[in-house]
Amino acid sequence: MEVCKEITDKVLNVKLNERAVTGNTYMNIKSAGTFKLALVGNPNVGKSVIFGLLTGKYVTVSNYPGTTVEVSRGVYKGYEGGIEVIDTPGANSLIPLSEDEAVARDILLEDYDKRIVQVIDAKNLRRGLLITTQIAEMGLPVLLVLNMWDELLDRGMNVDINALQDYLKIPIVKTIATHKVGFRELFHSVPLASVPDIRINYGRYIEEGISRVGKILNNLMVVNDRALAIMLLSHDESLERKLKEKLPEVSLQEIAGIREDVQRHFSNPLGYVISIKRSHYVDRLIEKVTTAAGKEAETRPFMRGVFFFFLVPLTTFLIGYKLMSLLMYAITMKLQVSDVLETVLELSAGGIMSLYFTLYLYKNEFKTRSKITEVLGRITMHPIAAFPLLIIILWIVYKWVGEFGSGVCVDFLENKIFGSAETPSDGFDLCVYIPFLKKVYTFTHINFEGINYYIGLLAQKIMSKDNLIYELFLNAQSGLIQVGLTYAIAIVFPIVGFFFLAFGIMEDSGYLPRLGVMVDKTFKRIGLNGKAVLPMVLGLGCDTMATMTTRILNTKKERIIATLLLALAVPCSAQLGVIASVLGSISGIYFAAYFLIICSQLFFVGYLSAIILPGAPSDFIMEIPPFRMPKLSNIFIKTFYRVNWFMKEAVPLFVLGTLVLFVATKLGVLSFVEKIGQPVIGYFLGLPVETTRGFILGFLRRDYGAVSIFKVLEEQGVGHVIDPKQLLVSLVVITLFIPCIANFFVMIKERGAKNAFLMFAFILPYSILVGGLLRIVLRLF
């Protein structure tokens, strides 16, 4: 609070020069409604937060690069007539290396009057000013927003805003976007945006090349020819493709010849030479405007003591204890181990890990006076500690989503709240669990028989159970309400909600980019790099959204491999929750086997794809944001919007899938398809023919297919007892099976129809082949 008050009272009084600047006349505020506003900046600097505050429109906000993969548009009504605001993907350069950077650059090339609000991470001023130089070369008016100003001060740094304004001749505003600090100044400064007074001399040969290319372009686009010429000399392939529509082939060949002429004078690529010149200019500017503000903020001694001498020993002891427990669980399935020995080993493992990391952190971190969040950030990238920590995090997520979300919550919603149209649910108790006493105290019993039961009673007053309308809505196997709505809300909703809560904590804390560093070497073996961990982990929430985020990958080959692996071997949270709940209820060994099979297929197919597909891998370059304490309000808001979007997608498709199932059943189509699939499903996979409907409906929703298959196996099992080997085979196949229809459409949109159908044609037979081989292997045991 003291920091925020200091910033509000003293720091954020922006004093803009009211005088006209030579060559850069500030725009009259009356004409505000005639332009568009584009938010531009590096990844993870707060553009989406500012977009939300300007427009009132929510955009996913996270503590990792690559969140905004599509252009979001809204309207800021603060000026007469309103202004369209465009939130662009994060970019480290306007000479793009990936699709999201190309999208950001292309928006600036569009032919309409625009003002740029460039958002910069105040503590990473150099990185932001490199983009400012490129905007200046384009000749576009810009307002600089130095965001995260509190973090700059915490690091003992300061930026002389008045001096920076004098050098650049543009308005500059300081903000703390997450706390809405500095936005009054931002609102008032938008119409004052001006072209930065920046002119970088790239040397004789490059300047001559710029001049020659500029004559060919001859004011071809809305931005300055100088900027376009620099991009073309840097060999911007995406710009060259764009110019094919505007320039004759002979002109493009002439530009290529000029680039080759200039390149002969340099041993390094022209793009590198231009970047170095730009960096030297920015470095000299930063030296003039940055100073040390004083002593860097430190964590209070009491909190440091609690962290180093209580939380670290306790947490590492629990990690070591739990890891040994998991190991002993696997050992005791084959060998007999006494309870005393097992307890001693678990306590010893916990004690050794606790002692090692406590001494390690005391020696390497305690005396450095680093903030606790900085220490945590380094722990998550420790070569030894990072992997046990990852296992524990995944275990916590499984307990949170797989057991509590898909177990307790799904069981309560499905059986108690919705229930069956045929039989009452007998209500439920309002109770509280007392953990230390291990007792349940019941307050009262709620005599609620279930939503479906009450709807069934109401329907039976006007029609019989055999009526076609009654069966359409309340049939136990394919009723739109009994199956479609119930499965969507009672099963999918809690699983997705709990997963997105866990995912929000990981992304807002800054853990995901660190996870990318951990897996980079492994991912390189499958043609990807650590950057791909973002869509892969997001795929555990929803493959459809994850497929869109593959744009952050640099090469076409990487994007195709990531899309294929997401469609093949990354189950979404709803499907994974159902699978974890079902297999976990039978035996933990089957869930472990499922996990190993799916992971092996992911790496096997990825490895083959890396060999077969043409193209070279890209370098792994990713910003590692500071490790932060997640803001709960942002996590809950983000979870609400994600779940809301997901349910809007899921519920109609669940209802559509149920309707297709109902019609197919009544017309006999399902029986016909089951007969066709019998040789494959019945003989090769060894499953009941009725499971065919689950695989068919898996195309509508993969989780819906998993639930349908589980129900069939339960009904077909002897005494309603499921054969675990059949269950494992069916769940492996439905996971590797063709993607859901929503994801398939996104694959067509992102990768093109040809690539999408080729992936489809590979995945379908491959999933069945893996299932058949798994069945053969299981028969040997």
Side-chain angles (χ1 to χ4, degrees), residues 79 84 97 120 144 146 178 234 264 391 394 409 442-443 481 493 535 555 568 583 595 635 649 740:
Y79 301 116
E84 182 179 358
L97 295 176
I120 295 178
L144 279 192
L146 300 189
T178 54
S234 300
R264 292 191 184 97
I391 294 173
L394 294 177
C409 295
T442 302
F443 295 102
I481 295 176
F493 173 72
T555 67
L568 174 73
L583 288 176
F595 180 79
I635 292 172
E649 295 286 328
C740 69

Side-chain angles (χ1 to χ4, degrees), residues 180-246:
K180 302 181 182 180
V181 177
F183 274 87
R184 179 176 298 177
E185 290 82 357
L186 170 60
F187 296 153
H188 293 316
S189 301
V190 166
L192 306 178
S194 181
V195 179
D197 186 14
I198 296 176
R199 175 78 183 197
I200 301 175
N201 189 321
Y202 292 103
R204 172 189 166 188
Y205 299 112
I206 294 179
E207 290 293 338
E208 288 177 356
I210 293 173
S211 177
R212 292 169 62 190
V213 173
K215 292 177 181 178
I216 298 173
L217 296 174
N218 192 24
N219 299 321
L220 187 66
M221 303 184 77
V222 67
V223 300
N224 290 343
D225 289 340
R226 178 178 177 81
L228 296 177
I230 293 172
M231 293 177 190
L232 291 171
L233 290 178
S234 300
H235 204 183
D236 186 340
E237 295 180 356
S238 62
L239 179 59
E240 290 179 4
R241 289 193 296 269
K242 184 180 288 291
L243 291 180
K244 285 183 179 180
E245 303 173 1
K246 299 176 179 293

Side-chain angles (χ1 to χ4, degrees), residues 360-392:
Y360 173 84
L361 289 179
Y362 178 79
K363 178 181 178 181
N364 294 279
E365 300 287 355
F366 185 76
K367 296 180 180 180
T368 64
R369 299 295 177 183
S370 299
K371 296 177 67 176
I372 291 176
T373 53
E374 295 173 350
V375 176
L376 287 173
R378 288 191 284 271
I379 291 175
T380 56
M381 298 177 67
H382 187 276
I384 298 176
F387 289 97
L389 185 61
L390 173 62
I391 294 173
I392 294 300

Side-chain angles (χ1 to χ4, degrees), residues 449-588:
E449 305 295 355
I451 295 173
N452 293 332
Y453 181 72
Y454 291 126
I455 294 175
L457 289 179
L458 180 63
Q460 290 176 45
K461 292 183 179 297
I462 56 177
M463 66 185 72
S464 69
K465 295 181 180 179
D466 298 329
N467 188 286
L468 184 64
I469 301 299
Y470 183 93
E471 288 191 350
L472 174 63
F473 288 96
L474 295 171
N475 183 280
Q477 284 75 41
S478 56
L480 297 182
I481 295 176
Q482 177 69 62
V483 176
L485 285 176
T486 300
Y487 283 11
I489 298 175
I491 296 178
V492 177
F493 173 72
I495 296 172
V496 169
F498 282 106
F499 174 83
F500 281 141
L501 279 173
F503 186 82
I505 293 172
M506 287 193 292
E507 64 182 1
D508 276 22
S509 64
Y511 180 70
L512 285 183
R514 288 163 172 81
L515 183 59
V517 174
M518 290 170 54
V519 303
D520 178 55
K521 290 184 179 180
T522 303
F523 273 30
K524 284 188 183 306
R525 297 182 180 274
I526 58 175
L528 302 172
N529 58 41
K531 204 173 184 181
V533 76
L534 302 180
M536 290 299 173
V537 174
L538 188 58
L540 293 172
C542 176
D543 286 319
T544 303
M545 290 191 296
T547 301
M548 291 190 290
T549 65
T550 57
R551 295 181 184 180
I552 68 173
L553 304 180
N554 293 341
T555 67
K556 180 180 179 181
K557 176 179 179 177
E558 290 173 341
R559 292 190 288 270
I560 290 177
I561 293 175
T563 302
L564 173 61
L565 296 181
L566 283 168
L568 174 73
V570 180
C572 65
S573 62
Q575 184 187 31
L576 184 60
V578 172
I579 291 171
S581 177
V582 170
L583 288 176
S585 63
I586 295 176
S587 173

Side-chain angles (χ1 to χ4, degrees), residues 20 180 184 259 322 325 457 516 538 576 613 651 667 715 756:
K180 302 181 182 180
R184 179 176 298 177
R259 181 170 59 240
K322 192 59 189 178
S325 296
L457 289 179
L538 188 58
L576 184 60
L613 293 176
V651 173
L667 297 179
E715 293 171 1

Side-chain angles (χ1 to χ4, degrees), residues 688-691 711-721 726:
V689 178
E690 290 78 7
T691 56
K711 295 292 184 183
V712 170
L713 292 177
E714 189 177 47
E715 293 171 1
Q716 297 290 324
V718 179
H720 294 288
V721 176
Q726 280 189 335

Side-chain angles (χ1 to χ4, degrees), residues 40-278:
V40 176
N42 305 108
N44 195 44
V45 294
K47 296 187 305 300
S48 296
V49 181
I50 293 175
F51 176 83
L53 292 171
L54 283 171
T55 65
K57 183 178 179 181
Y58 179 79
V59 177
T60 301
V61 179
S62 308
N63 187 21
Y64 71 90
T67 303
T68 305
V69 294
E70 285 194 320
V71 176
S72 300
R73 298 177 185 269
V75 176
Y76 172 56
K77 299 180 180 179
Y79 301 116
E80 183 178 356
I83 300 173
E84 182 179 358
V85 183
I86 306 169
D87 181 30
T88 67
N92 288 310
S93 173
L94 297 181
I95 301 175
L97 295 176
S98 61
E99 282 190 23
D100 48 336
E101 289 185 340
V103 169
R105 193 278 314 277
D106 288 347
I107 287 174
L108 302 185
L109 299 182
E110 291 181 6
D111 190 10
Y112 53 76
D113 188 14
K114 63 181 73 67
R115 301 292 180 270
I116 310 300
V117 172
Q118 186 192 350
V119 185
I120 295 178
D121 181 354
K123 60 185 181 296
N124 289 317
L125 185 62
R126 180 181 185 276
R127 197 165 57 108
L129 288 178
L130 288 173
I131 293 183
T132 309
T133 62
Q134 294 174 276
I135 296 175
E137 288 167 348
M138 289 182 174
L140 298 175
V142 63
L143 160 69
L144 279 192
V145 177
L146 300 189
N147 194 28
M148 306 179 194
W149 191 261
D150 53 338
E151 295 183 8
L152 174 82
L153 296 184
D154 285 344
R155 295 194 177 191
M157 302 164 59
N158 196 11
V159 176
D160 189 337
I161 297 299
N162 290 329
L164 187 58
Q165 285 183 151
D166 288 338
Y167 282 116
L168 299 181
K169 305 298 189 294
I170 59 174
I172 302 174
V173 177
K174 310 170 188 176
T175 63
I176 308 174
T178 54
H179 296 284
K180 302 181 182 180
V181 177
F183 274 87
R184 179 176 298 177
E185 290 82 357
L186 170 60
F187 296 153
H188 293 316
S189 301
V190 166
L192 306 178
S194 181
V195 179
D197 186 14
I198 296 176
R199 175 78 183 197
I200 301 175
N201 189 321
Y202 292 103
R204 172 189 166 188
Y205 299 112
I206 294 179
E207 290 293 338
E208 288 177 356
I210 293 173
S211 177
R212 292 169 62 190
V213 173
K215 292 177 181 178
I216 298 173
L217 296 174
N218 192 24
N219 299 321
L220 187 66
M221 303 184 77
V222 67
V223 300
N224 290 343
D225 289 340
R226 178 178 177 81
L228 296 177
I230 293 172
M231 293 177 190
L232 291 171
L233 290 178
S234 300
H235 204 183
D236 186 340
E237 295 180 356
S238 62
L239 179 59
E240 290 179 4
R241 289 193 296 269
K242 184 180 288 291
L243 291 180
K244 285 183 179 180
E245 303 173 1
K246 299 176 179 293
L247 285 176
E249 184 65 26
V250 63
S251 297
L252 293 174
Q253 293 176 357
E254 187 177 353
I255 291 173
I258 295 171
R259 181 170 59 240
E260 292 176 1
D261 289 342
V262 178
Q263 180 64 72
R264 292 191 184 97
H265 298 281
F266 300 92
S267 57
N268 291 313
L270 281 181
Y272 175 78
V273 175
I274 291 171
S275 295
I276 292 298
K277 292 282 187 179
R278 198 175 275 139

